[in-house]
Amino acid sequence: MYAIVRAGGRQEKVSVGDILTIDKVTVAPGDSIELKPLLIVDGATVTSDAGKLAKVTVKAEVMKATKGPKITIMKYKNKTGYRKRQGHRQPLTQVKVTAIDA
């Protein structure tokens, strides 16, 4: 059994025990969160009806807060001496899927 859930503006395929990295959530490590299911696949049965999915819960436990890879942004204008360098690391959260209750 697996589910397609909406997590941090993206869709992720998850099953029980999976560890995934999503955009930052403001929840302490060890607490649990609920992810919104978009599709449930259980063997040959595929559920995508909004009424039935409203009853389904996908629970995940927050493991730790992390950061993504360093991204370097460079701006340059020719013949003027203008150079600007900027870095960015996206804050992320690691979660472990604990249950898919259908």
Side-chain angles (χ1 to χ4, degrees), residues 19-73:
I19 296 174
L20 69 144
T21 304
I22 61 174
D23 287 342
K24 182 182 175 183
V25 292
T26 56
V27 179
D31 292 347
S32 66
I33 60 171
E34 227 175 85
L35 302 173
K36 181 180 177 186
L38 302 173
L39 182 86
I40 301 289
V41 178
D42 188 10
T45 307
V46 178
T47 306
S48 63
D49 181 34
K52 293 180 182 177
L53 288 176
K55 300 171 188 171
V56 176
T57 59
V58 177
K59 294 181 182 176
E61 178 186 351
V62 176
M63 296 179 65
K64 64 180 178 178
T66 61
K67 288 185 178 181
K70 179 83 169 189
I71 298 171
T72 304
I73 300 113

